[in-house]
């Protein structure tokens, strides 16, 4: 009976392992946003070309590599979590990375987080808890071929085709025109590719887990195919995430990326792994309500950040953004934002020069 109760609460042995790994992953990834942005700023100050505009000087910046390694550690923990728990449980826990990045940005990057922003963070946590409590149990998988059969279902193939078409449109049509003024472009590309990478990570993680348990899956070509998909998606994600972080405010990129990525990943998981097939309508509604709470928290956090920037410009000539849609379109891509971030006090320049040696 106790085992069944734990199962209903999403606290089975495997789910608990996935839960803990997902929490650790979010902490590392949230911190990596800040470390990488410090490296991006430093590289832009030394080279004069921002990553968002095609600069790659950050590759010579040690601080960026520290952030990159921190993100890799987080992604490894996240990768392992998907081998133990369903994506519907693991993915929403990425809300913790929003909290970590927003708090660290407040203290390190001086991107102020006010009371409404704190409320948004609390809502993210509360919504994630609701999702975790009502998360479905992991379906037992005994071979990577089972995952392959799920991946070639007509419904999931239609989803994959839709994602590829949307990514091509965003990359080749919208990104050159409004990628630096609309925060949804770069984050949209990352999120779409991210949903496919998570499904492949789930398959690859399951294959490795079975291999370590004595059921070798490395002799199946499907395992290597999933590995290729993971590598391709991650490279595209990293490229456009760098552009998003360098172009827009960290406290804006993090929640928007989280909302889009989580929504698309849950959708992909429900289509591919049929996570909701064995759940009651009450549990499904509770999960959706929990995610809406998370979504509301991230929008509140985003709006608070935009209002803070608008009020700081009020003394000049920049009006307050009239609506959320206008804020999403204007984002942080306006030149005044770049000028503000790129202005470095003389004493900070001295400190940075000392840090280079």
């Amino acid at each position: 009976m106790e085992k069944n109760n734990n199962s209903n609460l999403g606290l089975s042995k495997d789910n608990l392992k996935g839960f803990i790994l997902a929490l650790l992953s979010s902490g590392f990834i949230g911190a990596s946003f800040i470390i990488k942005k410090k490296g991006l700023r430093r590289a832009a100050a030394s080279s004069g070309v921002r990553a968002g505009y095609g600069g790659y000087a950050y590759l010579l910046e040690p601080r960026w590599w520290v952030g990159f390694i921190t993100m890799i550690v987080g992604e490894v923990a996240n990768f392992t979590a998907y081998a133990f728990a369903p994506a519907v449980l693991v993915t929403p826990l990425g809300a913790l990375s929003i909290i970590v990045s927003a708090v660290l940005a407040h203290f390190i990057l001086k991107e102020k987080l006010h009371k409404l922003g704190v409320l948004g963070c609390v809502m993210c946590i509360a919504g994630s808890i609701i999702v975790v409590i009502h998360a479905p149990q992991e379906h037992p998988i005994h071979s990577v071929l089972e995952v392959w059969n799920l991946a070639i279902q007509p419904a999931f193939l239609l989803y994959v085709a839709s994602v590829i078409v949307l990514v091509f449109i965003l990359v080749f049509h919208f990104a050159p025109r409004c990628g630096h003024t609309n925060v949804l472009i770069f984050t949209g590309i990352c999120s779409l590719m991210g949903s496919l990478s998570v499904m492949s990570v789930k398959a690859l993680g399951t294959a490795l887990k079975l291999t370590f348990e004595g059921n070798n899956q490395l002799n199946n070509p499907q395992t290597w195919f999933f590995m290729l998909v993971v590598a391709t998606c991650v490279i595209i994600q990293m490229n456009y995430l760098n552009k998003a972080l360098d172009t827009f405010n960290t406290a804006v990129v993090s929640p928007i990326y989280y909302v889009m990525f989580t929504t698309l990943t849950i959708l992909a998981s429900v289509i591919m792994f049929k996570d909701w097939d064995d759940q009651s309508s009450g549990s499904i509604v509770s999960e959706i309500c929990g995610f809406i709470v998370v979504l509301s928290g991230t929008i509140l956090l985003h709006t608070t950040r935009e209002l803070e920037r608008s009020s700081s410009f009020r003394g000049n000539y920049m009006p307050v953004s009239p609506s959320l849609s206008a804020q999403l379109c204007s984002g942080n891509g306006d030149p005044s934002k770049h000028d503000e971030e790129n202005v470095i006090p003389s004493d900070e320049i001295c400190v940075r020069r000392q840090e280079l040696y």
Side-chain angles (χ1 to χ4, degrees):
M1 179 67 68
E2 182 179 354
K3 182 178 180 181
N4 291 335
N5 289 338
N6 287 341
S7 176
N8 291 333
L9 290 174
L11 295 176
S12 65
K13 185 176 180 180
D14 281 350
N15 274 18
L16 182 59
K17 290 179 181 178
F19 174 75
I20 294 173
L21 287 167
L23 289 180
L24 293 174
S25 168
S26 296
F28 281 108
I29 292 174
S32 74
F33 274 102
I34 307 305
I35 301 172
K36 287 174 64 181
K37 184 151 188 177
K38 291 285 285 185
L40 289 169
R41 284 184 175 183
R42 221 167 153 194
S46 61
S47 68
V49 182
R50 301 170 63 94
Y53 289 88
Y56 291 94
Y58 63 85
L59 294 175
L60 301 176
E61 174 56 49
R63 188 170 294 180
W64 184 88
W65 282 105
V66 171
F68 178 77
I69 293 172
T70 303
M71 174 170 279
I72 291 298
V73 173
E75 293 295 348
V76 169
N78 198 49
F79 175 93
T80 309
Y82 282 110
F84 291 98
V88 175
L89 186 154
V90 174
T91 307
L93 292 177
L96 180 60
S97 67
I98 301 176
I99 313 302
V100 173
S101 62
V103 172
L104 292 179
H106 176 79
F107 291 105
I108 297 176
L109 300 180
K110 308 305 179 185
E111 297 175 359
K112 294 187 180 299
L113 179 66
H114 294 288
K115 292 181 179 179
L116 285 178
V118 173
L119 176 60
C121 293
V122 172
M123 291 176 67
C124 289
I125 296 174
S128 295
I129 291 174
I130 295 173
V131 172
V132 168
I133 290 175
H134 297 280
Q137 291 300 302
E138 177 78 334
H139 295 293
I141 297 176
H142 306 289
S143 170
V144 72
L145 294 177
E146 294 181 29
V147 184
W148 176 258
N149 290 332
L150 294 173
I152 60 176
Q153 299 172 98
F156 188 70
L157 289 177
L158 178 61
Y159 175 81
V160 172
S162 301
V163 166
I164 293 174
V165 170
L166 285 173
V167 167
F168 267 87
I169 293 174
L170 288 173
V171 169
F172 295 107
H173 180 75
F174 287 102
R177 291 169 173 79
C178 53
H180 295 93
T181 58
N182 190 329
V183 68
L184 298 179
I185 304 301
F186 292 152
T187 53
I189 295 170
C190 292
S191 302
L192 287 165
M193 297 305 297
S195 67
L196 296 184
S197 70
V198 167
M199 297 304 100
S200 299
V201 161
K202 176 73 175 174
L204 183 59
T206 301
L208 293 177
K209 177 186 175 184
L210 292 172
T211 299
F212 291 141
E213 291 175 351
N215 184 5
N216 186 21
Q217 301 295 310
L218 298 180
N219 53 4
N220 292 319
Q222 289 84 352
T223 301
W224 299 100
F225 175 80
F226 284 126
M227 185 177 297
L228 177 62
V229 174
V230 170
T232 303
C233 292
V234 167
I235 289 172
I236 296 174
Q237 280 181 267
M238 290 298 300
N239 182 38
Y240 284 94
L241 182 58
N242 281 333
K243 292 179 182 293
L245 285 173
D246 190 58
T247 306
F248 303 99
N249 193 299
T250 306
V252 173
V253 172
S254 298
I256 292 178
Y257 177 53
Y258 167 77
V259 170
M260 297 177 69
F261 171 74
T262 304
T263 302
L264 292 169
T265 299
I266 290 177
L267 176 61
S269 183
V270 167
I271 295 174
M272 180 174 173
F273 292 99
K274 304 183 184 303
D275 291 325
W276 287 348
D277 283 6
D278 299 329
Q279 286 197 287
S280 65
S281 57
S283 295
I284 296 174
V285 170
S286 296
E287 288 179 52
I288 294 174
C289 289
F291 182 67
I292 290 175
V293 173
V294 175
L295 177 62
S296 302
T298 55
I299 291 176
L300 178 60
L301 180 59
H302 168 69
T303 305
T304 302
R305 299 295 303 155
E306 289 295 323
L307 291 176
E308 168 63 22
R309 273 194 303 281
S310 298
S311 63
S312 67
F313 291 136
R314 217 173 279 170
N316 298 324
Y317 52 86
M318 296 291 291
V320 177
S321 301
S323 66
L324 178 59
S325 61
Q327 293 163 6
L328 290 174
C329 290
S330 62
N332 289 2
D334 54 296
S336 58
K337 187 265 181 185
H338 294 311
D339 292 338
E340 179 182 303
E341 279 199 354
N342 286 335
V343 174
I344 305 174
S346 58
D347 56 342
E348 188 175 348
I349 292 176
C350 294
V351 171
R352 291 187 179 184
R353 285 177 178 171
Q354 291 174 0
E355 290 176 350
L356 290 173
Y357 295 98

